[in-house]
Amino acid sequence: MRLEVLGTGCAKCKTLYENTQKALAISGTEAELVKVEDIATIMKYGVMSTPALVKDGTVLFSGRLATAEEIAGMLR
Amino acid sequence: MLSFFKYAADWLIYGQLGFDPASRLGQAINFFVEDTAKIFFLLIVMIYLIALVRISLPVERVRGYLAGKHRLVGYFLGSVFGAITPFCSCSSIPVFLGFISAGIPVGMTMAFLLTSPLINEIAVVLLLSLVGWKITLLYVLIGLSVGIVGGLFLDAIKAERLLQGFARKVYEQGQHAQIEAGEKKRVTLQDRHVFAKRELTEVFGRIWIWVIIGVGLGAALHGFMPDNWFEAHLGAGQWWSVPVATLIGIPLYSNATAVIPVMESLIVKGLPLGTTLAFCMSTVAASFPEFVMLKQVMQWRLLVIVFLMLLIAFTIVGWVLNALY
């Protein structure tokens, strides 16, 4: 599984990255986690409000934060 | 209903704690307690209620509404949507590119981006509770007008020529784009509540300290600065006081929440309404970090034009209001 956190580097985006890390730990899932700050890549996903979380090329949600538990639930 | 806070503060400070209502210290403390309680109450209620509604209006849908609209309607709608859909300032760039990639003109996009910080629920709540609904309404109408006129101006000078190379390409391709309005998702009451609660904790956690600082400063001014100090020292009609106020507002961007409570005291102390509003708007809307971020999609020339346009607009607003009131 490949997870991408989309965000141009604001505080919320960093929090989402950390929460996603925690979510991986909670659910015990193995995944590649990257942070995408390049605007062209973000646009490719059609995301206009950051932060957003992408799983294997599909946008899970955008424009908001999510708790580690919530993300863990989505990864299962 | 809001006079409840005045009675409560009077009861607590003058009645129970025994401060003298005629003393400066007593007045300052009373002002502080009344305003902080009132603002916190209103902020909690308003942020929650607005978030309940806003979950149904993500930027993706706003874009759908705006794409292909007639220009004149578009500037107006762009401003209005900007007022009711706040977004994290770090989303400015994706929103900008997302809009122009849907063929929405640069001016219309900027109308959205300019009104969004200018009119938001926090500024409106603060204004409502501190300076009353008339000035709040005036502020909102001026904010919308600045967005609309600014958007018209940017398209009149063909601002798209001054975009960065890749953004221009996005814009040109966007001219033929077919964008469907974002699909409507069913949102349950439970979803709304969860979203609103999260918004409330997030926003309130970020701004409460600024409310206290701002109201504290306002209270200090209120209690210890003689009434009509500004009229005595600046003279009400100094034309240069408006551009100076606008300039002073620029570096204060991050503390808009702290600036509005101070504003109320400034008006009481005789600072003319137009000067005060010009100061307030430039504090809220002309923020350097935001502009530096827009550098990714705009050339310096366009950035300078937008920045000057805002400063000139606020100055004119200030002059006109000073002349009228």
Side-chain angles (χ1 to χ4, degrees):
Chain A
M1 180 166 34
R2 180 180 161 87
L3 292 173
E4 292 165 284
V5 174
L6 311 184
T8 41
C10 57
K12 276 191 189 176
C13 314
K14 285 185 197 109
T15 315
L16 182 63
Y17 184 81
E18 284 157 19
N19 287 357
T20 312
Q21 268 178 329
K22 279 182 217 149
L24 288 177
I26 294 173
S27 59
T29 321
E30 282 290 313
E32 181 193 357
L33 175 61
V34 285
K35 201 161 181 303
V36 178
E37 295 189 352
D38 174 50
I39 183 69
T41 319
I42 296 178
M43 290 305 299
K44 225 174 46 206
Y45 286 114
V47 165
M48 283 198 291
S49 33
T50 54
L53 186 62
V54 175
K55 177 186 160 188
D56 294 328
T58 325
V59 181
L60 292 179
F61 60 85
S62 68
R64 66 180 180 92
L65 278 173
T67 60
E69 289 74 25
E70 206 180 327
I71 300 170
M74 294 178 197
L75 298 183
R76 256 172 222 132
Chain B
M1 184 196 78
L2 291 176
S3 50
F4 163 78
F5 291 98
K6 182 168 170 32
Y7 295 126
D10 285 349
W11 174 81
L12 180 71
I13 304 300
Y14 300 144
Q16 299 302 304
L17 298 175
F19 282 97
D20 179 2
S23 73
R24 287 184 165 182
L25 184 65
Q27 282 174 13
I29 295 179
N30 186 287
F31 176 90
F32 179 77
V33 169
E34 182 195 332
D35 274 8
T36 330
K38 188 166 65 178
I39 291 170
F40 278 173
F41 170 77
L42 282 172
L43 278 178
I44 290 172
V45 173
M46 291 292 289
I47 296 173
Y48 182 82
L49 287 181
I50 290 177
L52 283 184
V53 182
R54 193 198 311 141
I55 188 175
S56 316
L57 196 68
V59 266
E60 284 77 8
R61 274 185 72 196
V62 172
R63 175 170 76 167
Y65 285 130
L66 287 180
K69 277 280 174 327
H70 184 273
R71 290 217 160 193
L72 281 177
V73 185
Y75 296 111
F76 177 73
L77 281 182
S79 288
V80 172
F81 281 129
I84 54 181
T85 8
F87 55 92
C88 169
S89 67
C90 42
S91 291
S92 302
I93 302 302
V95 168
F96 184 89
L97 290 173
F99 276 31
I100 61 173
S101 73
I104 299 173
V106 175
M108 219 184 275
T109 306
M110 286 308 288
F112 178 85
L113 285 182
L114 292 178
T115 0
S116 189
L118 203 52
I119 308 177
N120 61 69
E121 75 264 38
I122 297 161
V124 169
V125 163
L126 289 169
L127 284 168
L128 257 181
S129 54
L130 291 163
V131 295
W133 68 270
K134 279 186 200 152
I135 297 182
T136 310
L137 184 67
L138 192 66
Y139 176 90
V140 170
L141 290 179
I142 293 171
L144 289 178
S145 317
V146 168
I148 295 169
V149 175
L152 278 167
F153 171 76
L154 288 175
D155 279 336
I157 63 165
K158 299 205 176 2
E160 61 273 11
R161 290 173 306 152
L162 297 174
L163 294 177
Q164 297 283 15
F166 88 98
R168 237 174 97 180
K169 222 172 280 159
V170 170
Y171 176 80
E172 276 152 20
Q173 286 162 357
Q175 294 308 301
H176 315 288
Q178 285 298 322
I179 292 286
E180 288 147 37
E183 61 191 289
K184 226 174 179 168
K185 261 184 271 168
R186 285 216 40 85
V187 193
T188 63
L189 215 58
Q190 178 65 18
D191 293 339
R192 286 181 195 271
H193 169 70
V194 170
F195 176 80
K197 216 176 84 189
R198 185 166 26 209
E199 279 284 300
L200 180 60
T201 12
E202 201 267 316
V203 176
F204 199 76
R206 182 157 45 85
I207 64 172
W208 68 272
I209 184 78
W210 294 112
V211 173
I212 291 192
I213 291 174
V215 177
L217 276 173
L221 285 174
H222 202 79
F224 296 102
M225 198 176 181
D227 276 4
N228 297 324
W229 185 88
F230 283 104
E231 259 171 333
H233 290 79
L234 269 177
Q238 299 279 28
W239 66 269
W240 48 262
S241 67
V242 177
V244 168
T246 312
L247 288 176
I248 296 177
I250 299 173
L252 295 176
Y253 60 87
S254 54
N255 307 344
T257 323
V259 165
I260 296 178
V262 179
M263 250 180 70
E264 190 254 355
S265 294
L266 295 179
I267 294 179
V268 174
K269 301 301 171 190
L271 192 67
L273 180 63
T275 316
T276 315
L277 275 187
F279 173 67
C280 173
M281 294 195 158
S282 97
T283 311
V284 179
S287 106
F288 273 131
E290 177 109 344
F291 275 81
V292 171
M293 223 157 0
L294 284 175
K295 173 74 181 76
Q296 292 180 52
V297 285
M298 294 179 180
Q299 294 172 23
W300 279 117
R301 261 176 68 197
L302 183 55
L303 274 186
V304 173
I305 290 174
V306 174
F307 205 70
L308 285 179
M309 181 187 88
L310 279 182
L311 296 187
I312 292 171
F314 298 152
T315 306
I316 293 175
V317 164
W319 278 335
V320 170
L321 287 177
N322 281 352
L324 289 178
Y325 281 87

